[in-house]
Amino acid sequence: ILAQVPPDSPARRYITAIKESGRKAAAIVRDMLTLARKGIEPKGVIDVKAVINEYLKSPEHERLMESSPGVFVKTNLCGDVLPVIGSAHNLSKVIMNLVKNSVEAMPGGDGTIWITAMNQHLERFSTLFGEVPEGDYAVVEVEDTGVGIPEEDLERIFEPFYTKKIMGRNGTGLGMAIVWNAVKDHNGFIDVKSVPGEGSAFRLFFPVYPGDLSGQEADSSGGDFRGRGEKILIVDDMQEQREIASAMLTGLGYDVASVSTGEDAIKFIKDKPVDLVVLDMVMNPGIDGLDTYKGILEMRPGQKAIIVSGFSETDRIKDVLGLGAAMYIKKPYVLERLGGAVRGVLNDDYK
């Protein structure tokens, strides 16, 4: 809808609010999966500095600042922060939770938060939370002038549901646990320095991406995802999901068809080859994404596919990826995520 509404239309603010509410609802599930470390989050090469800047422009951050007018956020982001392998969504959640934690730690609602990002080559060293191996890292630091953390509480701050008012925190105590699990899912490390009455500094160390970036696309605008008439088949048991995905990809310049069952997908591809299948994992009734892809491969060995789902079917998703599906993305469909995935798979950027 946003793509069809003029930029100056007063309806855009309401449609944007609906879109953000949908994203937030989906994010609740992702947060719980992150905490349990049982979900499969799409991973790729991410720009740490871009993730930080996007968070600072997000509605969540704006609302946080509006509720804390005496708190100021300052940044020191080096111009050449190296990319890392991970999930931009989860890294954004890490930054959000650390900033929120810092805001809640401010005495009287006044203070300053510094967000720093840089490259560092580190020798092996130990922290309260484990040993950091020697290597090249993208380092993110969130430092505040808050109440600080007492020494006896420091080693417990990442425990789920651990919260103490003396630490300036409220709520359920899940924020820091999500930070811990998300950093570990990025193969990263954490160090925390804190002085009661003076503030705290959280330093995150993410191993840098060692590969060639020549084929990677840094910008996330829709134009980067434009198709060139490639044939895409959408397979989804929900009509509204088929319509949304089809409209997005058609608008980007792809030749799109859709079917509602795995059996229909196999019949379709038997007669009409396609460049890529966007395949729902959980379909009812009929066969699921794994069995559908098996049937497709019998006729079209090497068929490119993307698996999508609103659920976490970990074992069967791993099986279908093992058969050759290029990647897995989470519903709800988002133009940047779906368009970027389709373009990346067609360009063989996800091999």
Side-chain angles (χ1 to χ4, degrees):
I1 296 173
L2 280 170
Q4 300 174 38
V5 175
D8 59 348
S9 171
R12 287 191 69 86
R13 60 177 293 197
Y14 302 109
I15 299 169
T16 300
I18 293 171
K19 179 181 178 182
E20 290 303 318
S21 295
R23 284 182 172 179
K24 180 182 281 188
I28 291 172
V29 178
R30 290 197 191 98
D31 285 347
M32 296 308 296
L33 291 173
T34 299
L35 189 60
R37 303 195 72 192
K38 293 180 180 178
I40 296 179
E41 185 71 25
K43 291 188 176 182
V45 181
I46 56 176
D47 182 336
V48 173
K49 189 169 70 170
V51 170
I52 294 172
N53 284 326
E54 285 299 313
Y55 162 70
L56 293 175
K57 294 185 291 185
S58 70
E60 290 84 0
H61 181 70
E62 290 179 359
R63 285 192 292 268
L64 182 62
M65 292 297 97
E66 287 174 1
S67 65
S68 310
V71 176
F72 299 92
V73 176
K74 300 181 179 181
T75 61
N76 180 19
L77 310 179
C78 296
D80 60 345
V81 180
L82 294 172
V84 303
I85 293 291
S87 158
H89 168 81
N90 279 355
L91 182 55
S92 180
K93 284 293 183 182
V94 168
I95 304 303
M96 181 187 74
N97 279 302
L98 288 177
V99 172
K100 185 173 184 291
N101 185 70
S102 291
V103 169
E104 292 174 349
M106 295 298 180
D110 298 316
T112 304
I113 301 170
W114 290 273
I115 302 176
T116 304
M118 69 188 84
N119 302 316
Q120 278 192 323
H121 178 83
L122 300 173
E123 303 294 332
R124 181 185 296 269
F125 73 99
S126 296
T127 76
L128 182 63
F129 305 100
E131 199 167 73
V132 180
E134 179 182 357
D136 294 313
Y137 295 90
V139 181
V140 177
E141 182 176 62
V142 178
E143 183 178 5
D144 63 60
T145 57
V147 297
I149 305 170
E151 185 177 354
E152 63 270 19
D153 293 322
L154 193 57
E155 64 183 15
R156 299 191 61 191
I157 59 175
F158 295 113
E159 294 179 13
F161 306 108
Y162 183 76
T163 177
K164 294 188 70 174
K165 290 184 179 179
I166 193 171
M167 294 164 64
R169 299 177 59 193
N170 51 36
T172 64
L174 287 176
M176 290 297 99
I178 289 174
V179 168
W180 175 266
N181 282 11
V183 170
K184 290 304 175 183
D185 281 343
H186 286 73
N187 298 315
F189 306 89
I190 303 179
D191 189 21
V192 183
K193 304 295 183 184
S194 186
V195 177
E198 297 184 13
S200 303
F202 289 76
R203 300 186 76 202
L204 316 178
F205 307 92
F206 299 102
V208 300
Y209 173 63
D212 179 14
L213 291 177
S214 59
Q216 298 293 332
E217 189 64 63
D219 196 316
S220 61
S221 61
D224 300 322
F225 309 145
R226 300 287 312 174
R228 296 182 284 274
E230 295 96 330
K231 298 182 182 299
I232 311 293
L233 177 64
I234 307 292
V235 187
D236 199 306
D237 60 329
M238 297 183 66
Q239 180 179 346
E240 61 269 27
Q241 296 293 320
R242 295 195 302 274
E243 291 176 350
I244 290 171
S246 296
M248 287 180 175
L249 294 179
T250 299
L252 288 174
Y254 295 99
D255 182 2
V256 184
S258 67
V259 296
S260 60
T261 69
E263 291 86 349
D264 287 343
I266 294 172
K267 292 177 184 177
F268 185 99
I269 290 179
K270 182 179 181 180
D271 300 323
K272 302 176 182 178
V274 298
D275 296 295
L276 176 69
V277 180
V278 178
L279 180 59
D280 189 21
M281 188 64 197
V282 181
M283 295 181 284
N284 186 31
I287 60 178
D288 70 355
L290 175 57
D291 291 332
T292 300
Y293 193 51
K294 287 179 178 178
I296 291 173
L297 289 177
E298 290 179 0
M299 297 179 302
R300 306 286 179 187
Q303 173 66 61
K304 291 182 178 181
I306 292 172
I307 300 298
V308 297
S309 179
F311 300 89
S312 181
E313 296 285 336
T314 304
D315 292 337
R316 292 186 73 77
I317 287 172
K318 287 182 179 179
D319 288 343
V320 75
L321 292 174
L323 287 175
M327 65 178 301
Y328 167 72
I329 62 176
K330 277 275 192 181
K331 289 183 181 178
Y333 289 116
V334 177
L335 179 63
E336 293 84 359
R337 188 187 308 149
L338 178 61
V342 168
R343 188 70 264 159
V345 172
L346 291 173
N347 290 346
D348 293 323
D349 288 342
Y350 286 85
K351 281 188 173 181

